[in-house]
Structures are given as structure tokens and as C-alpha cells.
């Protein structure tokens, strides 16, 4: 059986429910780590709301949403932990049954391309050691730990950064 190709495209309102359900499925593995899982889950279930202040990008296979990510460009509203002139990567999610196929890499590459076009001096994100696969991807392409952040529902987080000068190398690594 031939696998359908992955298509990376801009989020459309018709993707809303599929993206929100995918985000819940993608984060479900962390349920036992968060002190207030129900509260955390409510936020995750609204991933599509990022489209109000971010460029949301989805990965589809056969018309089905199998991944998503948000890019908050410079000057757009964001969490105050990120300076206004930075680009920010938000909520990389990949369907659990689709992991290991390069979907996350392609979504991160799409964000980095947007950050480069936007002229961002730095691309920032926040993640946790419990999200080992995502953290490994980010550090492998050059993101560096910048500072620790307050825990979210008992889970440790840190801010990671990638300079604009490092984006071309990061894109090369993502495409290998």
C-alpha cells in the first residue's frame, strides 16, 4: 500500500476541530506529569485559537490533519516571556501514530522560513524536558537553552533560542 504524501499548508477554519482533537491526542502522553491536567488539557484543546495571533500551519495526509504548529511573527501579541521583535514557535503537535516520519521537522522548517521572511533576529520557543522528542529535535538543529521558566502545572519549562544567522543551517539539517 502506498502512503499518501504529506502536504504542509496554512490552517483553514475548516481544520479547527481536527487540529484541536489532534492536539489533545498529541499531548495525552503527558497527562500524569501535570498537576492540573484538566486545566492544561482545556488550553491544548483550543490550539486552533492560536490562529488569532499566529500563522498556524498544518500537515495533512490524504486530507486529514496529522500535525500542526504556530508561528508568531515579530510585533504580534505573544507571551511576555518573548521579546516583541522575536518570532516564536508555538505548540508543535504530530499525531502519535504518524510520528517518526519527518512531519515535525517539516512543520518546524515552515516556521523557520516564516521567521526568516519576517526578519526576526531570534526565534524563540518554550518546552519541557518531558517533551523529549521535541526538545531533541530543537537542540539538534541549533536551538540553545536561554533561561529557565516558571513551571507550568508542576512541569519544568525553559526558553530556547535560535539566532537568525543559524536559520539556514537549521533548515539544512531539517531537510536531511
Amino acid at each position: 500500500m502506498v502512503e499518501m504524501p504529506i502536504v504542509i499548508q496554512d490552517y483553514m477554519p475548516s481544520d479547527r476541530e481536527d487540529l484541536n482533537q489532534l492536539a489533545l491526542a498529541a499531548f495525552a502522553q503527558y497527562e500524569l506529569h501535570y498537576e492540573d491536567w484538566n486545566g492544561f488539557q482545556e488550553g491544548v484543546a483550543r490550539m486552533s485559537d492560536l490562529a488569532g495571533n499566529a500563522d498556524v500551519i498544518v500537515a495533512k495526509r490524504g486530507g486529514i490533519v496529522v500535525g500542526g504548529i504556530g508561528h508568531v511573527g515579530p510585533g504580534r501579541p505573544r507571551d511576555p516571556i518573548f521579546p516583541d521583535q522575536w518570532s516564536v514557535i508555538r505548540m508543535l503537535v504530530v499525531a502519535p501514530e504518524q510520528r517518526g516520519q519527518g512531519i515535525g521537522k517539516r512543520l518546524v522548517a515552515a516556521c523557520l522560513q516564516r521567521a526568516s521572511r519576517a526578519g526576526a533576529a531570534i526565534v524563540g520557543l518554550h518546552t519541557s524536558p518531558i517533551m523529549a522528542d521535541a526538545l531533541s529535535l530543537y537542540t539538534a538543529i541549533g536551538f540553545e537553552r536561554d533561561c529557565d521558566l516558571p513551571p507550568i502545572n508542576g512541569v519544568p519549562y525553559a526558553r530556547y533560542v535560535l539566532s537568525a544567522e543559524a536559520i539556514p543551517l537549521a533548515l539544512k539539517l531539517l531537510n536531511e
Side-chain angles (χ1 to χ4, degrees):
M1 184 164 140
V2 177
E3 286 268 334
M4 299 289 293
I6 298 294
V7 176
I8 304 297
Q9 64 186 58
D10 289 339
Y11 165 86
M12 297 173 24
S14 59
D15 298 325
R16 180 181 184 83
E17 188 60 32
D18 290 341
L19 181 61
N20 290 341
Q21 290 303 311
L22 169 65
L24 284 170
F27 276 91
Q29 73 188 73
Y30 307 118
E31 178 177 0
L32 299 178
H33 296 274
Y34 287 89
E35 292 170 355
D36 178 12
W37 175 248
N38 290 334
F40 184 79
Q41 191 176 21
E42 286 176 18
V44 168
R46 295 188 311 270
M47 181 175 175
S48 63
D49 290 353
L50 289 175
N53 293 318
D55 300 319
V56 176
I57 305 158
V58 296
K60 291 185 177 181
R61 174 173 272 148
I64 306 294
V65 177
V66 294
I69 197 166
H71 168 257
V72 180
R76 296 183 78 180
R78 81 254 334 277
D79 189 299
I81 65 169
F82 299 107
D84 196 49
Q85 64 274 22
W86 291 12
S87 273
V88 179
I89 293 177
R90 294 286 319 275
M91 281 186 83
L92 171 62
V93 296
V94 175
E97 69 279 4
Q98 299 285 328
R99 292 178 180 160
Q101 300 178 43
I103 296 168
K105 287 181 177 183
R106 291 185 60 193
L107 289 165
V108 171
C111 278
L112 294 180
Q113 290 164 348
R114 288 174 190 238
S116 183
R117 285 194 303 266
I122 294 179
V123 181
L125 59 88
H126 75 282
T127 192
S128 173
I130 69 168
M131 298 170 187
D133 291 340
L135 184 54
S136 176
L137 168 62
Y138 295 135
T139 57
I141 63 169
F143 276 87
E144 296 179 347
R145 185 185 192 111
D146 179 53
C147 66
D148 289 332
L149 298 171
I152 297 174
N153 284 314
V155 173
Y157 274 81
R159 184 174 71 183
Y160 290 78
V161 296
L162 182 75
S163 70
E165 295 79 21
I167 290 175
L169 177 57
L171 288 169
K172 180 179 180 207
L173 292 170
L174 288 166
N175 290 316
E176 289 181 343

